[in-house]
Amino acid sequence: MLAPTLDAGLIRLDFPILKEQVNGRELVYLDSAATSQKPTAVIEAISAYYTHANANVHRGVHVLGERATEIFEGARESVARLVGADPRGVVFVRNTTEGINLVAQAYARERFGPQDRIVCTEMEHHSNLVPWQRVREQTGCQLEFIPVTPDGRLDAEATVRLLQAPTRLLAVTHVSNVLGTINPVEELIRQAHGEGIRVLIDGAQAVPHMPVDLAQLDPDFYAFSAHKMCGPTGIGVLYGRPELLDEMPPFLTGGSMISVVTLEKTTWDEIPHKFEAGTPDIGGAAGLRAAVDYLEKVGIPSVFRHGVELTEYADEMLSEVPGLTRYGPQGPDQLGIVSFNLEGVHPHDVGTIVDRAGVAIRAGHHCCQPLMRRLSVSATARASFYLYNTRDDVDALVAALFEANRIFGS
Ligand code: C6P
């Protein structure tokens, strides 16, 4: 059944920053894959935390300490509900990058040696690539990559070949931040588990935009960031299968993650606290909880439908722009992210010219240098959509691209 449509015009009213004037024009924000804008409810939740509840968590016997702990643990419950996870498996980290580093160091580094292989893909963000190179340096394990096809999908034949012994871990993105490709992660997890291979999914570009049910997908690890899903910067989530987290040593050590400390020896707290050393980002958790409430109120299935429809509209309109090359699949397995180049115009110039018209896009390698090499480009321009974007925003981008062509004489 099709989800109800959302009214992006009404939703825009919840995001005060969208009233900003940029270069004399009303802001058109098409860079949500980098970070999303924040609704008033999130901004107010952070402010309310500091105004009425600021204290440290899991320590205080006083009222503010209890309020802060309720907010922090309430955020964990909210996140767990959103993604269908056991709250004991929800570890608060700084961002997706830290979540993946946690798994690289506390899981892979501890277990793998030269006889083992980690498999990644050519479309990974550096955050899901560099940590595995580091593990290779530390353990001598092998690291191989599933190639990306010319239409921006994972090579099926190589996937089958690489999801076999000696592979021990597959680390793959759910949605590509450059191509918008939605990878068939449910099938990949099933295939990998059939061969006894653990799976980490980078969900940074998925959780904000589409329903994600970890109970159904059943990954071993799944990482995402609050700041791409209407929440604040500084807090993210690593989901880990509780039995695995239980077995793993801590990533960072110090206060808050211990059970008993003597001068000789320390024992660890229960999960997830074992992985949350030091004072956490409590204000961030307050914002994240409000972001989850906000997205649930709008309805993630409606956010997904809106992203699909806007991307289809953008594809149709961009096909009218002379000299434009689009990267990535254009079909049902593509979501919310449109990368392209204009013939004869460097993507940074494209970014600068559209910015003059108040349109914010990203230009560069998008932290995916190996993918750029595979696409035989040094950089692309990238527009990315979210629940507050409208067809008018796409039209503003397209008009600005015609202007870029005029300036560069194409
Ligand atoms: N991509 C982009 O503009 P952090 O920075 O840890 O919150 O997220 C890292 C990350 C990991 N995986 C994927 C698929 C991502 O898209 C990102 C962040 C931003 O594409 C900033 S480089």
Side-chain angles (χ1 to χ4, degrees):
M1 203 182 64
L2 223 49
T5 49
L6 57 74
D7 185 342
L10 265 185
I11 282 177
R12 292 176 72 78
L13 303 177
D14 296 336
F15 291 79
I17 205 168
L18 297 178
K19 294 192 193 77
E20 281 297 296
Q21 296 283 308
V22 170
N23 293 327
R25 309 276 191 94
E26 195 160 283
L27 170 67
V28 174
Y29 188 73
L30 297 179
D31 197 17
S32 296
T35 196
S36 74
Q37 296 303 347
K38 322 301 173 200
T40 304
V42 168
I43 298 165
E44 285 180 350
I46 297 167
S47 170
Y49 163 69
Y50 286 111
T51 310
H52 301 293
N54 179 50
N56 216 321
V57 287
H58 306 136
R59 297 173 169 77
V61 286
H62 53 74
V63 168
L64 291 190
E66 281 169 17
R67 282 186 197 163
T69 303
E70 190 279 320
I71 288 172
F72 189 68
E73 291 304 325
R76 198 186 312 276
E77 297 283 337
S78 295
V79 166
R81 188 182 64 235
L82 179 76
V83 296
D86 177 344
R88 290 192 326 128
V90 173
V91 178
F92 283 129
V93 288
R94 279 188 305 149
N95 46 38
T96 306
T97 305
E98 187 174 284
I100 295 171
N101 273 276
L102 189 162
V103 177
Q105 294 302 311
Y107 182 81
R109 183 185 186 180
E110 292 287 324
R111 293 167 192 237
F112 297 168
Q115 70 286 359
D116 299 314
R117 179 166 70 192
I118 297 172
V119 170
C120 223
T121 88
E122 284 181 345
M123 67 168 74
E124 298 311 312
H125 187 280
H126 297 162
S127 292
N128 196 26
L129 194 166
V130 182
W132 308 118
Q133 290 179 335
R134 187 87 188 103
V135 173
R136 176 174 58 187
E137 284 161 20
Q138 291 163 332
T139 67
C141 75
Q142 305 153 48
L143 177 59
E144 289 208 39
F145 298 91
I146 300 172
V148 172
T149 60
D151 61 358
R153 298 185 169 99
L154 295 179
D155 183 302
E157 182 276 318
T159 304
V160 172
R161 182 170 46 78
L162 288 170
L163 289 190
Q164 297 181 19
T167 300
R168 301 274 310 277
L169 178 78
L170 168 68
V172 59
T173 194
H174 196 158
V175 174
S176 159
N177 66 315
V178 173
L179 306 167
T181 314
I182 305 173
N183 285 320
V185 292
E186 189 165 358
E187 173 60 15
L188 290 171
I189 293 167
R190 207 184 47 73
Q191 257 175 274
H193 283 175
E195 300 293 330
I197 297 165
R198 298 284 182 196
V199 183
L200 174 140
I201 306 287
D202 172 350
Q205 300 291 354
V207 173
H209 298 277
M210 61 192 284
V212 171
D213 181 358
L214 297 184
Q216 188 190 329
L217 288 179
D218 197 31
D220 298 289
F221 302 102
Y222 193 104
F224 54 101
S225 298
H227 70 94
K228 295 188 200 289
M229 50 185 286
C230 296
T233 51
I235 186 163
V237 174
L238 172 73
Y239 163 77
R241 189 186 288 284
E243 316 86 86
L244 284 179
L245 292 180
D246 267 333
E247 287 168 14
M248 286 158 54
F251 174 44
L252 301 172
T253 54
S256 306
M257 50 72 69
I258 52 85
S259 173
V260 178
V261 181
T262 65
L263 291 182
E264 288 71 38
K265 185 173 159 36
T266 296
T267 54
W268 317 130
D269 199 350
E270 301 278 293
I271 63 164
H273 310 294
K274 178 170 78 172
F275 294 101
E276 293 175 353
T279 300
D281 184 358
I282 311 161
L288 172 56
R289 186 187 199 182
V292 170
D293 287 349
Y294 182 82
L295 287 172
E296 284 181 337
K297 211 154 73 195
V298 174
I300 287 274
S302 296
V303 174
F304 177 65
R305 177 176 174 182
H306 183 68
V308 168
E309 289 176 354
L310 210 51
T311 310
E312 278 169 7
Y313 179 68
D315 273 331
E316 188 188 318
M317 299 308 286
L318 288 171
S319 68
E320 308 279 313
V321 180
L324 187 142
T325 304
R326 266 282 274 120
Y327 304 100
Q330 290 162 56
D333 60 343
Q334 208 254 351
L335 176 63
I337 292 174
V338 173
S339 278
F340 58 90
N341 272 325
L342 275 189
E343 198 181 342
V345 192
H346 191 280
H348 284 133
D349 292 330
V350 173
T352 307
I353 290 167
V354 304
D355 184 51
R356 281 204 232 150
V359 181
I361 61 168
R362 185 171 172 186
H365 55 62
H366 315 294
C367 302
C368 290
Q369 290 183 7
L371 179 60
M372 294 295 119
R373 249 165 246 129
R374 165 60 72 182
L375 299 173
S376 304
V377 295
S378 60
T380 72
R382 184 191 71 181
S384 50
F385 310 117
Y386 208 12
L387 70 171
Y388 38 68
N389 290 120
T390 62
R391 287 183 168 214
D392 288 348
D393 294 343
V394 174
D395 294 343
L397 170 67
V398 169
L401 293 175
F402 272 98
E403 175 65 5
N405 268 343
R406 195 190 58 73
I407 291 170
F408 282 86
S410 310

